[in-house]
Amino acid sequence: MAAPPGGTSGDPISRALDAVDVPAWSTRFELAADPTRLQLLLCLHFSPGITVTRLAEASGVSQTVVSQSLRRLRDRGWVEAAKAGREHHYRIVDDSLHRLLHLIGAPHSERSEDHSGSRGGHGYG
């Protein structure tokens, strides 16, 4: 009887499937596959600490769409916000997402802090 997909067995292919969190990566790809969310992620990567207003200007979508998209990304633990006065400043906090953005060629601005991971190096503003 064959082992279920992703199940553990002596089969090296099954072990390869077990080595990756398939549901988590599927969700990452699903969220990043939306063009608006990907644009916002690229903006957040380039400019940590960016506001909803600036994200809307840069991406060409309404502040409502930006806020809804950021809510989904926050719910997934990909981004977080810090309140400064009346504005919220957003940044990427998921290290695997940050590395993925680098793999697709996403740049940082010249004023971005040097970083070795999202939590340790992406400051606000």
Side-chain angles (χ1 to χ4, degrees):
M1 177 176 230
T8 55
S9 75
D11 182 12
I13 295 172
S14 292
R15 287 195 304 270
L17 293 174
D18 289 341
V20 174
D21 186 348
V22 173
W25 277 103
S26 294
T27 299
R28 279 184 177 89
F29 290 132
E30 176 188 336
L31 284 172
D34 176 80
T36 299
R37 282 192 298 267
L38 182 55
Q39 284 181 336
L40 296 176
L41 289 168
L42 291 169
C43 291
L44 287 163
H45 186 259
F46 186 82
S47 185
I50 193 168
T51 64
V52 170
T53 302
R54 186 66 186 105
L55 280 166
E57 291 169 0
S59 64
V61 298
S62 72
Q63 288 187 20
T64 301
V65 170
V66 170
S67 294
Q68 290 170 349
S69 297
L70 288 171
R71 186 175 310 114
R72 286 202 64 194
L73 297 172
R74 261 193 344 261
D75 289 348
R76 274 286 169 211
W78 282 17
V79 301
E80 69 180 18
K83 188 167 175 122
R86 295 176 59 189
E87 296 183 313
H88 287 88
H89 296 262
Y90 289 85
R91 69 182 183 124
I92 294 172
V93 294
D94 182 274
D95 288 332
S96 60
L97 172 64
H98 180 234
R99 289 190 306 271
L100 184 62
L101 290 170
H102 274 277
L103 285 173
I104 66 170
H108 287 281
S109 72
E110 298 84 35
R111 64 186 192 102
S112 291
E113 297 175 23
D114 186 28
H115 62 279
S116 58
S118 301
R119 290 195 184 273
H122 276 118
Y124 291 100

